[in-house]
Amino acid sequence: MTETPLAPTHIRRDRFDPVPELARLRAEEPVSLIQSVFGLDREAWLITRYEDVREVLGDASRFSNKMRSPFAPGSEPEGQASRRAVSGVLIGYDPPDHTRLRRLLTPEFTMRRMRRMEPRVEAIVAEHLQAMEDAGPPADLVKSFALPIPSLVICELLGVPYGDREAFQRRSSARLNVFADLEERVAVIAESQAYMGELVARQRANPGDDMIGMLVREHGDQISDAELIGVSDLLLIAGHETTSNMLGLGTLLLLLNPDQLAQVRDGDQVDQAVEELLRYLSIVHTVVPRTAKVDVELSGQKIKAGETLMLSIPSANRDPAFGEDLDQFDPARELAAHLAFGHGIHHCLGAPLARMEMRIAFPALLKRFPSLRLAVPVEEIPFRSFSVVYGVESLPVAW
């Protein structure tokens, strides 16, 4: 019988909380050497304090975001695999390429654009709530609500056929599994790129009114097919994986905290509650690893140029230096900027969309089903323990 591997400390959780070892490291050894993950066989510095994490995120001049190819050396002509794997993947770009590409995308994620999308998101939420009610309890909230809503929204935004969702959701799960076999990950990435390549080719021939079509019409000579594929692939994964896991895990947290649930259901300080859910849950364990461009020092530890840094978002967002009682969930909390969406030039492009979806979905769900409750003991809820994005695999509920 094969033993389940033990996840690295910085991605291990006890339900909603990082394991105590992470808090110990933050207090006693805030910059510690670990064995990196994501299929990279090398050591990395784990950064756990808020100020250090924020400093690294905010300084693109000293810390590079440039991603390394996940393909095995020699699997394709030298250089070709690397270019294909990371082309257009905005989170793995440094300036000036990052600046150029992000400037093309930013207009699609402005608050003004999000406000125009609100009626459609409200309609999507209402449709899924009605379907849940028609089917009757019990229901898996992940399958019925948390996953399909952001999936449909990002599909419509990008121009991806919603009927293809099962295939791209399967590929996303495989790519985000930190212990997935490297060959499997290579195959899934290639499959994802081939799928998105077909969509991009159709959009080049006949641009639609969606984001990919807009990029082709307005910036077709400024962005290559490889970049269009990479950008679209990244937005498709991020657009449904992060928000869906926030909706699922956030609902579980609220169900276990009835007083806070009532605040969100009744519309009291919903924006504030969403920010606290983002901070407290910090579902993305760590952002893209950074590489030190020069010798630097963080919390007294010297880091040499060329060395890798892993940034713990859950640890930073619960650092006592950032605020009081941060291991407690408090929807009325007011804090300076948390790091759930990152910081600096790589601050999450889709943050306005994710916030808008959660601001609409949480109150709507809790108002439609005021007696919403878990349909199984909390001990039976399966968590996504080995995923880059934390959450619950399923959430059986009744009402």
Side-chain angles (χ1 to χ4, degrees), residues 274-288:
V274 166
E275 294 307 310
E276 175 67 352
L277 283 164
L278 286 163
R279 179 205 68 82
Y280 185 76
L281 296 175
S282 293
I283 58 169
V284 178
H285 303 289
T286 179
V287 295
V288 171

Side-chain angles (χ1 to χ4, degrees), residues 258-336:
D259 291 342
Q260 287 88 343
L261 182 149
Q263 287 179 269
V264 177
R265 181 192 62 223
D266 298 338
D268 296 341
Q269 301 173 310
V270 171
D271 288 352
Q272 224 165 291
V274 166
E275 294 307 310
E276 175 67 352
L277 283 164
L278 286 163
R279 179 205 68 82
Y280 185 76
L281 296 175
S282 293
I283 58 169
V284 178
H285 303 289
T286 179
V287 295
V288 171
R290 269 35 174 193
T291 302
K293 293 182 178 180
V294 296
D295 293 351
V296 296
E297 185 173 312
L298 296 171
S299 287
Q301 175 64 53
K302 293 182 179 179
I303 298 171
K304 296 179 180 178
E307 293 185 327
T308 303
L309 295 83
M310 303 288 288
L311 312 178
S312 174
I313 303 302
S315 174
N317 276 338
R318 294 194 181 199
D319 188 345
F322 177 42
E324 295 182 0
D325 299 321
L326 295 186
D327 285 324
Q328 303 302 314
F329 173 60
D330 179 7
R333 189 190 305 278
E334 293 187 9
L335 271 178

Side-chain angles (χ1 to χ4, degrees), residues 16-254:
F16 309 110
D17 302 319
V19 292
E21 173 65 9
L22 199 56
R24 186 197 67 77
L25 286 173
R26 185 179 60 222
E28 300 176 9
E29 199 178 350
V31 181
S32 57
L33 205 57
I34 62 167
Q35 188 68 35
S36 184
V37 288
F38 307 114
L40 306 176
D41 186 21
R42 64 177 186 268
E43 290 183 322
W45 293 103
L46 178 63
I47 316 299
T48 51
R49 286 183 178 168
Y50 177 86
E51 286 300 329
D52 290 338
V53 171
R54 185 179 169 88
E55 179 179 344
V56 175
L57 289 172
D59 191 347
S61 65
R62 293 190 299 154
F63 302 98
S64 172
N65 241 60
K66 193 170 183 180
M67 296 173 65
R68 301 187 187 186
S69 170
F71 291 92
S75 61
E76 292 190 66
E78 187 174 353
Q80 184 177 337
S82 178
R83 287 193 298 273
R84 287 177 53 185
V86 302
S87 237
V89 182
L90 195 62
I91 57 174
Y93 271 32
D94 285 337
D97 289 331
H98 173 271
T99 309
R100 172 184 60 84
L101 197 54
R102 182 156 179 140
R103 187 180 293 126
L104 304 183
L105 296 168
T106 297
E108 293 300 302
F109 291 95
T110 61
M111 290 304 299
R112 184 177 179 181
R113 173 69 189 270
M114 293 305 105
R115 281 194 291 271
R116 292 204 306 268
M117 288 182 63
E118 279 190 12
R120 179 56 184 146
V121 174
E122 289 170 349
I124 290 171
V125 169
E127 289 165 9
H128 285 80
L129 290 174
Q130 186 63 53
M132 280 179 59
E133 187 167 320
D134 292 344
D140 176 2
L141 195 76
V142 171
K143 186 179 294 185
S144 302
F145 185 78
L147 184 56
I149 289 171
S151 296
L152 183 52
V153 170
I154 197 64
C155 280
E156 291 191 1
L157 185 66
L158 288 175
V160 173
Y162 186 58
D164 296 344
R165 65 190 181 280
E166 288 189 10
F168 70 66
Q169 287 165 0
R170 171 187 58 78
R171 291 192 292 265
S172 295
S173 293
R175 292 168 70 175
L176 294 175
N177 184 344
V178 297
F179 288 114
D181 179 78
L182 182 59
E183 289 186 5
E184 177 188 357
R185 188 174 297 167
V186 167
V188 171
I189 291 173
E191 186 181 340
S192 299
Q193 290 177 330
Y195 168 76
M196 198 58 72
E198 293 176 2
L199 292 182
V200 166
R202 292 202 294 268
Q203 292 274 15
R204 283 284 191 190
N206 185 25
D209 295 329
D210 45 69
M211 184 182 295
I212 300 176
M214 178 278 296
L215 288 170
V216 169
R217 284 194 313 274
E218 299 182 14
H219 309 288
D221 58 345
Q222 302 173 53
I223 185 168
S224 67
D225 282 356
E227 287 180 325
L228 266 174
I229 290 168
V231 163
S232 304
D233 185 46
L234 173 64
L235 291 174
L236 181 61
I237 294 175
H240 77 271
E241 280 285 351
T242 51
T243 306
S244 67
N245 281 289
M246 276 299 304
L247 290 174
L249 192 64
T251 299
L252 175 59
L253 176 63
L254 292 170

